[in-house]
Amino acid sequence: MTLTIRPMTRDNLETAIEWAYEEGWNPGLDDAEAFFATDPDGFLMGYLGEEPVTAISVVAYDEGFGFLGFYLCHPEHRGKGYGWATWAAGIERLGNRTIGLDGVAAQQANYEKSGFKLAHRDIRHGGISIADVPMDPRLTVIGRGIYPSIRDYDRPLFPAPRETFLKRWVQAGHATRRGMALIEDGAVTGYGVLRACRAGFKIGPLFADTDGGADVLFRGLAGTVKGQEIYLDVPEPNEAALALAERYELSPEFITARMYKPGGTSGTSGLPDLPLEKIFGITTMELG
């Protein structure tokens, strides 16, 4: 039977998220809302007849950058070339953009064959939250009034503008997520988001100008779910971020490779030049 690849519907994305859960990826409870809104045409599914068997997300943030995730093949259909066909369709969809992904280390060599280059490793840390919410006047819940400042603060910390995504990711009053910012002298100096997942809670992103600011933000978020499981995906080059995870008794659980496939306008190195010293936790392994 021939594999047919076509864009996912919103309901299809829920199917892909369920597959991700079965693979142990622990997606957020309401990730689909923000993911799908970012690029509704950026999610592909492969079918045998009407049976879904493969998935991939290839979200285009702008004309120069996209991110690849949700690369999945149902266990019953592996080893038949369906996954590779879906991969090829996804890469074609993003065209000449620079493409990012977070891949398991075991697949790094395969991604290199497709033109991806290693930027750094991300280490997921997990454990029971032991943090207490600090009484710090700089901490504030993210609301509409400061969203433009959050958007502007985020811009140098991600390879492309992502306003559509951020509006939903940091939204105030959402039942399954909480965003907090650090405000000093009227300016945002860091922000983070805590979201409920199938198991526990993930913090991502966790961005801050300083180690101390990241610590305050982490406690502000993790302290709201003290005694429950939390997870933080830390860029390995940020030693202060690794120390923060250790300080709050979070243990390394697994490693992924942040890789980029250079596009036509990506410069000499082909890798986005991000200030990793300010990135204490990445946003999400699915959309970057």
Side-chain angles (χ1 to χ4, degrees), residues 121-132:
R121 303 196 308 172
D122 294 318
I123 306 175
R124 174 159 295 174
H125 288 72
I128 301 299
S129 174
I130 62 169
D132 293 305

Side-chain angles (χ1 to χ4, degrees), residues 203-255:
I203 294 176
L206 182 60
F207 296 161
D209 288 354
T210 65
D211 303 352
D215 187 279
V216 171
L217 278 167
F218 177 86
R219 286 185 285 138
L221 295 165
T224 64
V225 291
K226 186 176 181 180
Q228 300 183 67
E229 288 181 297
I230 56 171
Y231 302 92
L232 181 69
D233 296 320
V234 178
E236 188 177 36
N238 189 334
E239 294 183 1
L242 294 173
L244 182 150
E246 182 177 0
R247 186 159 61 249
Y248 293 102
E249 300 182 8
L250 303 183
S251 300
E253 297 197 344
F254 66 83
I255 296 172

Side-chain angles (χ1 to χ4, degrees), residues 34-75:
F35 288 177
F36 197 75
T38 301
D39 181 6
D41 295 324
F43 300 86
L44 306 180
M45 184 160 272
Y47 296 84
L48 295 177
E50 292 302 314
E51 179 189 2
V53 297
T54 63
I56 197 168
S57 64
V58 278
V59 168
Y61 282 99
D62 62 9
E63 292 303 312
F65 182 73
F67 203 88
L68 185 154
F70 282 114
Y71 181 37
L72 294 156
C73 183
H74 195 278

Side-chain angles (χ1 to χ4, degrees), residues 109-165:
N110 288 331
Y111 296 141
E112 288 174 346
K113 293 176 183 177
S114 293
F116 285 82
K117 300 180 180 181
L118 177 68
H120 58 83
R121 303 196 308 172
D122 294 318
I123 306 175
R124 174 159 295 174
H125 288 72
I128 301 299
S129 174
I130 62 169
D132 293 305
V133 176
M135 300 298 292
D136 193 312
R138 298 174 297 170
L139 272 179
T140 184
V141 174
I142 295 175
R144 291 184 180 179
I146 65 168
Y147 169 74
S149 298
I150 297 295
R151 176 200 61 206
D152 294 345
Y153 183 84
D154 183 84
R155 182 62 196 90
L157 300 171
F158 194 75
R162 51 176 181 171
E163 183 167 2
T164 300
F165 171 81

Side-chain angles (χ1 to χ4, degrees), residues 98-110:
T98 293
I99 305 171
L101 62 77
D102 278 305
V104 295
Q107 293 297 321
Q108 184 176 327
N110 288 331

